[in-house]
Amino acid sequence: MLTLNKSQPTISENPESGDPRSVAPPSPEDVLQSLQTILSSDIFSGAARQQRLLRHLVERRIEGRSSELKEYTLGVEVFDRGEDFDPRLDPIVRVEASRLRSRLQKYYDAPGAQDRIRISLPRGAYLPSFEDVQSRPALVSEQPVASPIPGVPN
């Protein structure tokens, strides 16, 4: 299990965007707590492969080892394929990543709907993203709102 100390890198591997609407990423401790909650949920019970993949992806990201999140490496390290693993012939990583995305969506649609931290796995990559949905800035519409009373200007 991953333990954190002050010398480990932060989750954010990119410099601040400078966008005033951006928020700081959740802390590694918060992400790991959220990961544990997800993995112990009924949705993930009996899904050992997806549990193992999610734990591996999240821990490597937090450790600052995102460059290791490649299909071949995941096949060997997570799914115990041998050194002769060929991702072109064995789709295990793509299949399990797709199943993981679906299971995460199912989790956030029901028991995890109110979770503060959201862990997702965007399509096309094996790099998880972390979002603190409670500190997300509210979107303000720039479109004028029509007056509900006819003949009264906005």
Side-chain angles (χ1 to χ4, degrees):
M1 175 168 256
L2 178 71
T3 57
L4 296 171
N5 62 44
K6 299 294 180 195
S7 66
Q8 286 181 312
T10 61
I11 291 172
S12 177
E13 294 176 353
N14 298 323
E16 290 295 321
S17 67
D19 184 343
R21 295 172 295 166
S22 67
V23 293
S27 71
E29 294 83 3
D30 288 344
V31 171
L32 290 173
Q33 178 62 43
S34 180
L35 173 65
Q36 195 54 46
T37 301
I38 292 167
L39 296 179
S40 61
S41 71
D42 289 343
I43 302 269
F44 274 82
S45 69
R49 284 182 171 179
Q50 284 94 46
Q51 287 182 1
R52 191 168 174 195
L53 178 58
L54 183 59
R55 180 179 303 282
H56 185 87
L57 295 173
V58 168
E59 289 179 354
R60 291 303 173 277
R61 171 80 192 269
I62 288 173
E63 293 166 351
R65 296 168 55 192
S66 298
S67 64
E68 297 175 17
L69 300 178
K70 306 291 185 201
E71 190 171 2
Y72 173 81
T73 307
L74 295 171
V76 172
E77 292 182 2
V78 177
F79 300 111
D80 300 320
R81 298 305 203 246
E83 295 293 322
D84 61 343
F85 170 65
D86 185 345
R88 294 172 299 166
L89 302 175
D90 184 348
I92 186 72
V93 178
R94 291 185 306 276
V95 168
E96 293 302 327
S98 178
R99 289 178 179 162
L100 174 57
R101 288 181 187 102
S102 296
R103 198 172 292 273
L104 280 169
Q105 184 62 51
K106 187 176 177 182
Y107 171 79
Y108 288 117
D109 284 345
Q114 300 301 314
D115 285 7
R116 190 184 72 132
I117 306 299
R118 183 172 288 258
I119 299 173
S120 62
L121 185 61
R123 290 196 176 282
Y126 301 111
L127 181 65
S129 64
F130 314 123
E131 180 184 17
D132 185 337
V133 295
Q134 290 182 354
S135 67
R136 188 183 328 173
L139 296 177
V140 178
S141 173
E142 293 181 17
Q143 297 293 327
V145 177
S147 173
I149 304 171
V152 176
N154 293 347

